């Protein structure tokens, strides 16, 4: 069932997808060979997009997330205005954008870094995604037998820090997936070479599962656009695959 998110400020035609609805859209894109990108907005994405315009840089850099990022723990360093611009562009162009409903506690972060900051960022940059879903939908998909059944037999590319581990796990029960590429990706500066490689091999895979923090937003949208394939910002779903839990 398609419905609108509670508390969602939205244009008249904005559609909210539950996980099953999203799955139907992914299936349709695969069957019709249409580009499809899922990107998701959490506290990290909000902070990256808020740099300079929505929040002063000094305020951004005081946040615990930013401090951890500058210790090398988030796959990027701040300030980073080129990344800010790339994320904003990709959110505007993505097929489906995952956001957190007001008051949601799916991710462990202060509330003001979640939906309230998303609203401020979207308002400032005039971002109004026509199709949205819950930002935690990746965790649902990872646990859905229907999702893995849909991917069964397709050529899967995984992009993540622990690419080799994810590849080996997905090849086994209960996933039984065909992993044709496992690209290690840890830090945002690796983006250009990664996209260059994918562009050169764009006909060698069908679906990309991407788990590399904020960079996954840009990678998912760009991969779908460049290759015409399905590219999903898979986030902490990779931890569910490896450890059975999101963290």
């Amino acid at each position: 069932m398609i419905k609108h998110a509670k508390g969602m400020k939205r244009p008249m035609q904005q559609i909210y997808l539950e996980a099953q609805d999203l799955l139907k859209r992914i299936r349709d894109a695969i069957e019709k060979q249409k580009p499809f990108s899922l990107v998701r907005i959490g506290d990290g994405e909000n902070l990256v997009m808020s740099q300079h315009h929505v929040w002063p840089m000094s305020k951004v850099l005081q946040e615990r997330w930013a401090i951890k990022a500058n210790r090398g723990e988030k796959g990027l360093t701040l300030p980073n205005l080129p990344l800010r611009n790339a994320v904003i562009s990709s959110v505007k162009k993505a097929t489906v954008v995952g956001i957190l409903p007001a008051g949601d506690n799916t991710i462990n972060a202060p509330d003001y870094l979640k939906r309230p900051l998303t609203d401020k960022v979207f308002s400032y940059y005039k971002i109004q995604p026509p199709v949205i879903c819950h930002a935690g939908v990746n965790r649902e998909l990872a646990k859905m037998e229907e999702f893995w059944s849909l991917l069964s037999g397709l050529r899967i590319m995984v992009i993540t820090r622990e690419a080799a581990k994810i590849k080996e796990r997905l090849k086994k029960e209960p996933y039984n997936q065909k992993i044709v590429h496992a690209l290690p990706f840890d830090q945002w500066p690796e983006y250009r070479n990664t996209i260059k490689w994918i562009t050169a091999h764009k006909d060698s895979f069908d679906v990309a599962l991407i788990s590399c923090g904020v960079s996954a937003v840009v990678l998912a949208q760009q991969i779908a656009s460049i290759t015409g394939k399905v590219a999903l910002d898979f986030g902490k779903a990779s931890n569910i695959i490896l450890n059975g839990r999101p963290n």
Side-chain angles (χ1 to χ4, degrees):
M1 179 178 67
I2 296 175
K3 67 179 184 179
H4 292 296
K6 294 180 180 179
M8 186 70 66
K9 295 178 181 178
R10 59 183 184 272
M12 190 66 68
Q13 300 301 316
Q14 192 173 57
I15 295 171
Y16 182 84
L17 303 178
E18 298 289 0
Q20 288 288 350
D21 304 312
L22 178 63
L23 203 59
K24 291 175 185 176
R25 301 251 177 156
I26 295 172
R27 178 180 290 109
D28 182 68
I30 291 171
E31 291 176 350
K32 296 179 180 177
Q33 298 185 332
K34 299 188 301 183
F36 182 99
S37 56
L38 167 68
V39 306
R40 302 174 309 101
I41 309 301
D43 56 329
E45 289 78 13
N46 280 333
L47 278 172
V48 168
M49 290 190 291
S50 71
Q51 291 178 88
H52 187 62
H53 289 312
V54 179
W55 276 13
M57 192 64 73
S58 58
K59 185 175 181 180
V60 172
L61 295 176
Q62 287 173 2
E63 288 296 329
R64 178 174 170 79
W65 192 96
I67 293 169
K68 293 177 74 173
N70 285 339
R71 291 203 304 246
E73 298 176 25
K74 297 293 184 180
L76 59 93
T77 56
L78 299 173
N80 197 324
L81 300 187
L83 176 56
R84 177 199 67 186
N85 297 340
V87 172
I88 290 166
S89 176
S90 288
V91 171
K92 288 183 174 181
K93 296 174 183 176
T95 311
V96 181
V97 178
I99 62 176
L100 293 168
D104 188 83
N105 61 1
T106 302
I107 65 173
N108 183 23
D111 187 67
Y112 66 88
L113 291 181
K114 295 189 283 188
R115 181 55 185 279
L117 190 50
T118 300
D119 286 344
K120 290 177 183 177
V121 169
F122 279 23
S123 176
Y124 182 88
Y125 288 104
K126 296 179 172 57
I127 299 172
Q128 293 187 330
V131 185
I132 59 175
C133 66
H134 195 295
V137 73
N138 58 317
R139 305 179 190 207
E140 290 188 68
L141 292 178
K143 298 174 183 177
M144 290 174 65
E145 184 177 337
E146 302 101 307
F147 175 70
W148 297 111
S149 294
L150 173 61
L151 299 190
S152 180
L154 298 176
R155 299 169 301 169
I156 309 299
M157 174 172 65
V158 295
I159 305 174
T160 185
R161 178 184 296 177
E162 297 185 293
K165 288 184 179 181
I166 290 288
K167 175 181 179 179
E168 290 308 309
R169 186 68 191 91
L170 286 177
K171 286 166 60 178
K172 299 175 181 177
E173 294 283 351
Y175 305 106
N176 300 312
Q177 296 299 313
K178 182 180 180 181
I179 312 300
V180 293
H181 302 301
L183 305 185
F185 191 104
D186 188 26
Q187 300 288 325
W188 167 246
E190 299 166 33
Y191 167 80
R192 190 178 300 275
N193 285 339
T194 300
I195 285 293
K196 184 177 180 180
W197 188 93
I198 291 168
T199 301
H201 298 83
K202 63 182 181 180
D203 296 322
S204 65
F205 69 97
D206 303 305
V207 176
L209 302 179
I210 309 156
S211 295
C212 52
V214 177
S215 298
V217 172
V218 184
L219 282 167
Q221 184 273 317
Q222 282 291 296
I223 289 170
S225 177
I226 291 167
T227 69
K229 306 298 174 60
V230 171
L232 308 178
D233 171 1
F234 217 44
K236 293 293 182 67
S238 61
N239 292 342
I240 293 174
I241 292 166
L242 288 177
N243 309 315
R245 59 185 187 276
N247 296 312

